[in-house]
Every structure is written in C-alpha cells, then in structure tokens.
Amino acid sequence: MSGGLLVAGTTSDAGKSVVTAGICRWLVRQGVKVAPFKAQNMSLNSFVTREGAEIGRAQAMQAQACRIEPTALMNPVLLKPGGERSSQVVLLGRPVGELSARGYHGGRQQALLGTVLDCLAELRDAYDAVICEGAGSPAEINLRRTDIVNMGIARNARLPVLVVGDIDRGGVFASFFGTVALLSREDQELVAGFLVNKFRGDVSLLEPGLDMLRDLTGRRAYGVLPFRHGLGIDEEDGMAVSLRGPVRESHVAPPLGADVLRVAVCAVPLMSNFTDVDALAAEPGVVVRFVDRPEELADADLVVVPGTRGTVRALEWLRERGLAEAIARRAAEQRPVLGVCGGFQLLGEHIEDEVESRRGHVDGLGLLPVRVRFAREKTLARPVGEALGEPVEGYEIHHGVAEVTGGEPFLDGCRVGQTWGTHWHGSLESDGFRRAFLREVAAAAGRRFVPAPDTSFAALREEQLDRLGDLIEQHADTDALWRLIESGAPQGLPFIPPGAPA
C-alpha cells in the first residue's frame, strides 16, 4: 500500500482544493508517482474523462497537477445540486438518480463507503502516494455518523489528516483548535497538524500563536502559505463567484489593439461549468464580468449565457429580470451572443422537459432554430471538431437533446447571424478557435481589438499549477510533510476535550 494524506479544512473554501493540487505538483516534481482523490464532491463544475465518466473539475485539475489523466476513481461520488434540497447523484461517473439531502445522509451515503474505499485502494495500489481532499469541515458533528469524505474515510483507510485554515478570514486559531476538539478520540489520533493558508504580512508575528497552538493541541503547523492572487482555479461551487463582479481574481493584461473587449456572463441560477469563460479572461484585453441586470448588457461586446443545471428555471429567471428581452434585442441588432449547453438550449424555439424541471413544453427565447427534448440518459462525451477554420476540443454534459433545424453549423449547434449556440464546454480553451471567435466578436462589435497571437491557455494553467507547487515547496516543511504521507500520523497525539458528542 502506498503513502497517503487527507487534506481537510476548517471550513468550505479554506483552500483544500488548491493545497491538494499544490502538494500533488510538488510531489510529481520530486519524481513521486501521485494521484488525487476526493470521495464525495458537491459541485456544478464537472468534467468528462476520456472514458466518458463525469467527475468534479477540481479533481480533473488536480490530476493535471499530477501530470496524469483523470479517471472516475479519483471522484467516485459527485453530487450536482438541482435546488436547495436535492441533488443528482453521480456514481463512478454515471448518474444514478436524484436524492434529497435527508435521503442521502439518511442512509445512501453510508452505503457508498465500500465503493469509495475500493476506489481509494485501487489508486493506492497503482501510485506511490494518493493525496485526498476532504469536504467542508471534518467537525460537522451532525453528519459524522454517515461521513465518507472526511474522518470517515481517514479512519477506514488510516490516513493522516492535515487541517487547512484560511487566515485571511480571521479566527484561524479558534478554528484549528475547535476542529480538533469536536472530534472523537479515535478521529483526533489521525489529525497530525495544521497548514495556514492565505497569510499576509510578517510570518514572525504569527509564530507565537503557532507555538501556543502546539502547546494547546500537541500538533504542529506544517507551513504558512502566503496570500497569492490568481490561484482560484477550477473552484468547486458557483456560489464562490460573485453574481455581479469580475471573474475570479482574473488579471487583465493590456490589449494589443486600441480597444478592450467586454464580456458579460449572465449569472443564471444553478450555473454550471462557469470555468468555460476562464479562457476568455486569460486573453490580454478581454474583461469578463458576471451580471444579473439588463442594463449591464448595454456596453458588452459579447454576452454569454452559460451552462446551468436548471435550464427552464434559468429561462424563467432571465425573463423575470428583463435579461431575456435585452438578449433578444441584442440578437436582432446583430450583437454577439453565445449560449453554452443549458444557455444554448434556452436560446432555442422550445423545450420539452419531463426530466429536469418536469415542466413539459416550454417556449424558449426563439433566437436559434433549435428544439430541445430532455432525455433521461445523460450525454457524456469528449468531442473534437472544427469551427471557424480551427480545430476545437470540448466535453459534453447534458440531458437535453437538440434538434437543429437551420442556421449555419457551429460545433454540434448552430449560428444565426451573431447568435451562437453549442453544447460543448471547454471549446474556448482551444487557442486558435478562441482567437478566431474573438476576432468575429470584435468585428461585429466594431472594436479595434486584436487577440494576442501567443496566448496558450494550457501553458497558463501549467504556470498556475507550478505556482501552487512552489508555494508548498517554499513555505511548507516538505520533509515533515513527506514523513507524514509515508508513515502516517505521529503516535501519541494528545486528546483535546471535549471530543465529539456521543
């Protein structure tokens, strides 16, 4: 059996995903054969592996950090929220049904523990090390009985646990102490120590607190990672995105031409795979913002209607807010609009949905000659093709089946004037196609914008992953971290009362 580690967090969004990716990249640069793992993921940002399995995008990103192909083993359980109380359950890359939160935590989750442990064991047999990511906090005492992603899997697989805390939010010492103190004695034995994330300032000012924390808990800090802009890659949940603001920490480089291009992304409910616009934000001179008001479309050169887990709900939201009328007006004026996946579907003539919303026949916006019927079986694919004279790769995740009855072919969808629609996620990551598309947008918008000739989205992603690896290598005690991965949690760690309630 290989080495392993569980990266847990004091809260959601503490930095577990990026820390896991950073540890993976550091290890692979040391010649270690490493893989990522997350037993259970709740996310609307997903990816399709080469074998046609759907997993969380964070695990696909972590696999890239390991320089390996992602597989369903790396994220055996994926929950895709369809509202506040229910989610689609994706098991080993395939949807198996919808469950309420009560139904899932009431028994189904624990039944999946064997599958999860089998996947982890298979990875550990194949790799030198497996770096696991937890979910939320390991001290969710109301959910501990059925937990399969934090201490539940750590206990069963005897994984040492590193707890990450976001000091930029404040209260990190209380969070570290409280996390340990709310765990049972058996769980506490596996919590080896802490990693401080997003620290700003002089580390020497923090060290007395870390010393006191060690005295209080008997557990050390394995590093203090400084705050760095631009590392929010492939986040798990659309809730991390402001409904009205710039794309996550994107750095806008000066344009090559005389003008910038402004992209407005409609922040539809249950927005999925919002990472599609990251490639646009990476282009010098392209400014990408999420919007939720019609007046915010007025100065946009391109409007993107993104994917969504609730196509009919998103359509109603667009109409309620006046955005549907503004988009239709743009299309009539030959101003660019791009619909992706669910956004493509709602631009069509009508939708027959007895699967997702169960609303039956619903009129779309009528901007594209497309009729959509929702099938119970989900389409999961990795298509390749050509558009605008350039090769394109993408991935498909949808229940809606589109019948295109006119327009010009565009990937698997169509184009009418300056209104474009496709089911392909990730197409804009194809550099030549992205540049050709932006030239079309600029011409239609009357902007003197020139795409950079050498922007490589894949190279930028590699640079980000290397920056994460650098953070671990330069600011964590990597010798101690490797001992932890190789040998497990130190023996004799003290129990911190009161422990978990009975």
Side-chain angles (χ1 to χ4, degrees):
M1 190 71 78
S2 73
L5 175 69
L6 176 69
V7 179
T10 56
T11 63
S12 296
D13 204 32
K16 296 183 294 291
S17 295
V18 293
V19 167
T20 300
I23 293 174
C24 287
R25 179 48 62 101
W26 160 63
L27 285 172
V28 81
R29 293 195 307 204
Q30 308 307 308
V32 177
K33 189 179 177 185
V34 59
F37 180 78
K38 184 160 185 173
Q40 172 195 294
N41 199 345
M42 178 173 279
S43 179
L44 287 172
N45 282 337
S46 59
F47 183 76
V48 179
T49 67
R50 295 214 176 272
E51 68 266 28
E54 184 180 10
I55 65 172
R57 271 200 70 100
Q59 280 61 66
M61 175 268 290
Q62 290 160 359
Q64 186 176 347
C66 298
R67 298 179 178 146
I68 58 176
E69 276 290 324
T71 72
L73 293 174
M74 298 170 186
N75 179 207
V77 181
L78 172 64
L79 306 178
K80 303 194 73 176
E84 292 186 2
R85 296 188 177 182
S86 67
S87 294
Q88 182 181 67
V89 181
V90 179
L91 179 63
L92 293 174
R94 299 289 174 182
V96 294
E98 296 271 342
L99 276 180
S100 67
R102 180 177 293 276
Y104 184 69
H105 291 287
R108 182 62 188 270
Q109 183 181 33
Q110 187 67 17
L112 296 173
L113 179 60
T115 300
V116 162
L117 290 172
D118 288 345
C119 291
L120 176 57
E122 189 170 340
L123 287 174
R124 296 184 79 180
D125 285 341
Y127 291 89
D128 300 328
V130 178
I131 308 303
C132 306
E133 179 188 344
S137 161
E140 306 288 0
I141 55 179
N142 56 317
L143 302 177
R144 176 62 184 90
R145 181 177 61 84
T146 57
D147 170 48
I148 65 170
V149 64
N150 289 307
M151 300 312 299
I153 195 168
R155 281 269 292 278
N156 278 278
R158 303 309 300 170
L159 293 171
V161 178
L162 182 69
V163 180
V164 177
D166 180 355
I167 197 170
D168 199 49
R169 294 181 171 188
V172 75
F173 291 115
S175 298
F176 282 145
F177 183 88
T179 296
V180 178
L182 278 177
L183 300 178
S184 69
R185 184 181 299 273
E186 293 80 5
D187 286 349
Q188 287 191 26
E189 289 173 356
L190 294 172
V191 178
F194 314 105
L195 187 72
V196 178
N197 191 29
K198 297 185 183 178
F199 180 72
R200 306 174 192 247
D202 185 347
V203 176
S204 66
L205 299 177
L206 189 66
E207 288 171 350
L210 297 176
D211 291 340
M212 285 186 275
L213 184 67
R214 185 166 189 168
D215 291 340
L216 286 166
T217 66
R219 291 159 175 84
R220 58 165 295 174
Y222 282 77
V224 178
L225 307 184
F227 187 97
R228 291 286 186 268
H229 285 284
L231 295 181
I233 53 178
D234 287 9
E235 296 178 46
E236 291 186 350
D237 196 336
M239 295 302 290
V241 181
S242 168
L243 291 183
R244 298 182 63 250
V247 169
R248 307 177 311 285
E249 301 177 0
S250 61
H251 173 70
V252 181
L256 268 68
D259 292 334
V260 299
L261 273 188
R262 295 173 176 84
V263 179
V265 184
C266 297
V268 296
L270 298 174
M271 180 167 47
S272 62
N273 288 64
F274 58 79
T275 49
D276 283 337
V277 299
D278 284 356
L280 294 178
E283 282 286 345
V286 176
V287 182
V288 182
R289 295 182 66 84
F290 290 95
V291 302
D292 62 358
R293 299 192 306 220
E295 57 268 27
E296 293 175 299
L297 306 188
D299 66 345
D301 302 306
L302 169 67
V303 170
V304 177
V305 187
T308 171
R309 174 85 163 85
T311 300
V312 171
R313 179 176 169 185
L315 182 57
E316 292 171 343
W317 181 86
L318 290 171
R319 285 176 167 141
E320 289 166 1
R321 290 179 170 260
L323 284 159
E325 184 180 350
I327 292 169
R329 203 162 45 241
R330 286 184 63 90
E333 295 168 354
Q334 296 298 306
R335 301 175 66 196
V337 176
L338 171 65
V340 180
C341 201
F344 163 45
Q345 295 166 6
L346 61 82
L347 293 179
E349 295 168 352
H350 66 79
I351 298 167
E352 293 289 340
D353 182 10
E354 299 292 349
V355 175
E356 194 174 77
S357 69
R358 298 180 175 86
R359 294 285 295 277
H361 181 96
V362 178
D363 290 333
L365 297 187
L367 306 181
L368 291 174
V370 176
R371 299 166 186 167
V372 176
R373 175 185 56 83
F374 273 69
R376 296 199 176 277
E377 185 173 347
K378 182 184 286 190
T379 297
L380 297 169
R382 288 280 293 271
V384 295
E386 182 178 299
L388 303 179
E390 298 286 348
V392 188
E393 295 184 19
Y395 57 99
E396 294 184 64
I397 307 169
H398 54 91
H399 284 278
V401 178
E403 178 190 0
V404 179
T405 60
E408 300 176 46
F410 175 61
L411 302 177
D412 70 330
C414 65
R415 168 191 183 181
V416 174
Q418 289 300 321
T419 302
W420 316 63
T422 178
H423 273 132
W424 291 21
H425 294 290
S427 63
L428 293 166
E429 295 179 19
S430 298
D431 298 325
F433 165 70
R434 182 179 64 254
R435 287 191 277 269
F437 178 69
L438 289 175
R439 281 193 290 269
E440 289 250 0
V441 169
R447 297 288 187 189
R448 293 172 296 168
F449 169 84
V450 179
D454 55 355
T455 300
S456 167
F457 186 75
L460 290 172
R461 172 56 53 84
E462 278 295 304
E463 288 175 14
Q464 284 184 308
L465 293 171
D466 276 332
R467 289 175 66 197
L468 292 177
D470 292 343
L471 281 177
I472 298 299
E473 190 168 337
Q474 296 168 12
H475 301 283
D477 185 339
T478 52
D479 289 339
L481 198 55
W482 175 246
R483 287 194 298 272
L484 192 62
I485 293 168
E486 190 175 39
S487 304
Q491 297 297 307
L493 293 169
F495 171 70
I496 307 302

